[in-house]
Amino acid sequence: MGSILQAPSVKQSVIVVGSGLAGLSAASELVARNVPVVILERQAKPGGNSIKASSGINGVPTRFQPPGLDSLQHFLDDTINSVSSSVMSTMTETRRSLISTLTSSSASAINWLVDEKGVDLSRVAQLGGHSHARTHRGAGQTPPGASIITTLLSQLKANPLVELQINTTVTKVLTSQGEVIGVESQQGGNVQTLHGPVVFATGGFAGDSTGALTRYRPDLHGYPSTNEALPGSQDLLSEIGAQLLDMDQVQVHPTGFIDPKDPSKTTKFLAAEALRGEGGILLRRGKRFVDELQTRKVVTEAITAQPPSTTEGTKQWDIVLLLDEKTYQSTKSHVDFYLWKGLMQKKTISELDHSDVVLETLEQYSDIVQGKETDALGRKSFGNWALREPKPDTVVYVGNVTPVVHYTMGGVLFTPDAEVLDADGKAIDGLWVAGEITGGIHGANRLGGSSLLECVVFGRIAGRNAARYVETTSDKR
Ligand SMILES: Cc1cc2nc3c(=O)[nH]c(=O)nc-3n(C[C@H](O)[C@H](O)[C@H](O)COP(=O)(O)OP(=O)(O)OC[C@H]3O[C@@H](n4cnc5c(N)ncnc54)[C@H](O)[C@@H]3O)c2cc1C
Ligand SMILES: *[C@@H]1O[C@H](CO)[C@@H](O)[C@H](O)[C@H]1NC(C)=O
């Protein structure tokens, strides 16, 4: 379908770079407006890091939430608190307008996925840093990233307006007189040039441990990551004048699984945040040490405040994630997978390291959950935890976890219209961005579930605006 020299009646194709949720959301909006799309993806399999998302997507207010509790204002407040006041004090208006677009478009993002695309998002959980349950996932076994991506992808693949090129790495964004006019890409040894407006949705750089990550955050050198070990693509846009923002703001997720079979492996499976949200607790040498529902940043800092256990190769800590039977039942779809992978084990308390300390910790914790005591660490919501009288032979579910580099908050400075700003603050024509490549929404900390949300919200905006651009420029030509 290319895009060079088409009959006048055929609309020009829009080039979408990246086949994660941001790219697929943009592509879906484009084809809904009858605009042809070429999706370029460097990997052999489409879906990016989006397909791995395991906790869910935020939306407020939705019909799946418990009625009458949450509000847009709460979601906005939680997001701004998470950004942190020091980050919020710079570029305040820009950040406010992006966050306002993100939160106020969240209900329609969920409705779009559920009602128009047919994705099941009927379960909600409360994740760390959130004041209410608002992170949506399906009721079945399939994790939310996989179910959203496979649904959008199969609808796009069935559409004759869509061409998906895999194994195709974009190496240059082409401009003419300040306007983006296409991209250069490589497939195997072949270089290809495509012309058309561009939606750039290439994700973050959390897996780029030897490149961008070490450049912006040398202290994180040696940390394992949940992302694929591939370079970030932000530089392709800074080369054409895009500004970057918050590049040193990197989210370290507190809980990546240490696989007992391969403890120093650099790419790690995430221990889904829902495990803590639904009732799981964290132990260091048998004792709780943090409110497990605090933000990722707070939980991570509580872990890394003590020296790591491994410094050779990967930098890791020894923390145990523990679930009682009821919490296991409520997170069964996750945990059965982890048990099968050997990342978690079903054990009695007496089989654990520091078992006497663990027993004492669980006795005290059950008093806290029953309201006999308040938690000195500040946890107020206990999910499905139901263990009341722990005994040495009580069955629990445990896994070893350590902090992992998970998400890069920084990226390309953009607007609520998904436009990219140059050094003069002027929008670059012919270019839109969405997803983790952007900066300005999450500041010091991204809330769980808000990344899939930004992909859908700004991906759709990018798609709509690129479609309008094609319609108006083809009128001119
Ligand atoms: C294990 C895991 C679990 C997560 N769970 C959640 C969750 O529950 N909820 C949530 O909100 N967020 C979650 N996140 C974060 C979220 O998944 C990502 O931030 C989000 O999916 C990013 O989407 P994206 O479309 O911007 O990028 P991606 O999904 O990473 O897609 C970008 C694509 O662009 C391609 N690409 C990059 N550069 C080029 C180039 N030069 N040429 C061609 N192609 C290129 C990449 O190969 C990739 O396929 C999770 C992340 C991980 C790793
Ligand atoms: C893509 O690359 C993979 C891995 O190098 C290869 O196995 C596959 O055949 C390629 N597919 C296409 C369509 O080029």
Side-chain angles (χ1 to χ4, degrees):
M1 191 169 300
S3 65
I4 323 150
L5 289 185
Q6 289 164 333
S9 59
V10 179
K11 283 182 190 151
Q12 184 177 36
S13 295
V14 171
I15 301 161
V16 174
V17 188
S19 66
L21 183 54
L24 298 187
S25 299
S28 300
E29 287 291 348
L30 283 156
V31 298
R33 283 158 182 75
N34 249 348
V35 176
V37 184
V38 184
I39 304 173
L40 305 179
E41 169 56 53
R42 67 181 166 188
Q43 293 200 265
K45 275 199 182 140
N49 283 297
S50 301
I51 204 165
K52 303 204 268 184
S54 48
S55 297
I57 174 168
N58 299 331
V60 179
T62 73
R63 61 187 190 267
F64 307 110
Q65 292 186 283
L69 300 175
D70 201 1
S71 71
L72 256 184
Q73 191 62 44
H74 290 316
F75 187 19
L76 194 70
D77 292 345
D78 290 348
T79 304
I80 289 174
N81 284 338
S82 186
V83 167
S84 94
S85 50
S86 63
V87 174
M88 207 65 202
S89 69
T90 65
M91 319 247 339
T92 311
E93 279 320 303
T94 304
R95 295 180 196 277
R96 278 198 174 275
S97 62
L98 291 169
I99 293 168
S100 157
T101 302
L102 179 84
T103 51
S104 64
S105 311
S106 66
S108 66
I110 300 287
N111 291 340
W112 182 69
L113 289 171
V114 174
D115 299 329
E116 290 187 40
K117 300 291 155 189
V119 181
D120 172 20
L121 294 173
S122 58
R123 289 212 57 186
V124 289
Q126 181 175 348
L127 303 190
H130 290 278
S131 59
H132 291 88
R134 58 171 78 109
T135 306
H136 296 63
R137 67 176 194 277
Q141 298 282 317
T142 316
S147 65
I148 296 170
I149 290 292
T150 52
T151 303
L152 295 187
L153 200 57
S154 67
Q155 292 174 18
L156 288 167
K157 279 181 172 170
N159 192 314
L161 290 171
V162 177
E163 180 189 342
L164 171 64
Q165 295 186 10
I166 55 162
N167 292 351
T168 304
T169 305
V170 169
T171 49
K172 199 174 167 41
V173 177
L174 305 172
T175 58
S176 167
Q177 297 167 347
E179 183 185 357
V180 169
I181 54 158
V183 296
E184 200 171 276
S185 62
Q186 290 187 7
Q187 189 173 32
N190 303 326
V191 177
Q192 130 184 283
T193 300
L194 284 178
H195 286 110
V198 175
V199 174
F200 219 76
T202 53
F205 58 96
D208 194 2
S209 62
T210 54
L213 194 61
T214 311
R215 197 168 359 131
Y216 295 105
R217 286 293 300 274
D219 59 308
L220 295 177
H221 188 83
Y223 270 61
S225 174
T226 54
N227 285 31
E228 299 298 316
L230 291 169
S233 294
Q234 277 75 5
D235 291 349
L236 297 179
L237 294 188
S238 40
E239 274 163 18
I240 62 155
Q243 293 186 65
L244 301 178
L245 182 70
D246 297 344
M247 292 298 273
D248 58 342
Q249 301 288 347
V250 174
Q251 183 167 76
V252 181
H253 194 290
T255 61
F257 277 119
I258 298 175
D259 186 343
K261 296 186 294 299
D262 191 1
S264 60
K265 194 166 185 236
T266 51
T267 301
K268 302 225 188 280
F269 270 97
L270 196 67
E273 199 137 65
L275 301 188
R276 281 176 287 137
E278 298 274 355
I281 59 172
L282 296 176
L283 304 175
R284 173 164 57 211
R285 292 184 292 277
K287 289 189 178 152
R288 285 182 65 235
F289 56 94
V290 68
D291 169 4
E292 293 87 353
L293 291 187
Q294 266 292 352
T295 60
R296 292 170 177 182
K297 193 175 163 68
V298 170
V299 176
T300 299
E301 281 170 2
I303 295 173
T304 58
Q306 300 223 344
S309 58
T310 331
T311 42
E312 279 169 47
T314 54
K315 205 169 171 185
Q316 298 183 175
W317 282 260
D318 272 335
I319 303 297
V320 169
L321 170 68
L322 185 146
L323 316 181
D324 73 336
E325 183 64 33
K326 198 68 188 302
T327 303
Y328 160 70
Q329 291 299 340
S330 64
T331 51
K332 206 169 177 312
S333 60
H334 289 292
V335 180
D336 284 348
F337 173 75
Y338 302 142
L339 289 168
W340 174 72
K341 278 263 170 195
L343 299 170
M344 287 188 84
Q345 293 84 36
K346 180 179 181 177
K347 284 188 175 173
T348 63
I349 292 173
S350 62
E351 289 171 325
L352 303 176
D353 290 345
H354 314 287
S355 59
D356 295 347
V357 187
V358 174
L359 192 59
E360 212 176 292
T361 299
L362 297 188
E363 281 163 357
Q364 196 193 3
Y365 189 64
S366 85
D367 286 348
I368 293 169
V369 174
Q370 292 172 77
K372 294 183 195 165
E373 251 184 73
T374 55
D375 183 16
L377 297 166
R379 184 163 178 165
K380 292 191 186 69
S381 151
F382 308 102
N384 297 286
W385 188 276
L387 180 57
R388 293 291 179 261
E389 287 177 0
K391 299 269 165 8
D393 64 353
T394 300
V395 165
V396 290
Y397 299 80
V398 290
N400 294 318
V401 293
T402 189
V404 276
V405 177
H406 184 52
Y407 183 87
T408 48
M409 274 77 75
V412 175
L413 176 61
F414 77 131
T415 71
D417 286 323
E419 295 167 321
V420 177
L421 297 179
D422 68 12
D424 302 326
K426 200 181 130 309
I428 300 174
D429 276 343
L431 177 68
W432 295 268
V433 281
E436 195 172 342
I437 187 169
T438 67
I441 295 179
H442 309 291
N445 183 63
R446 171 186 68 97
L447 286 173
S450 279
S451 175
L452 292 183
L453 175 62
E454 79 174 309
C455 289
V456 175
V457 168
F458 293 101
R460 294 183 68 200
I461 292 172
R464 287 198 290 265
N465 288 341
R468 196 167 303 141
Y469 184 85
V470 167
E471 277 147 17
T472 52
T473 51
S474 61
D475 289 350
K476 269 189 270 163
R477 274 168 194 161

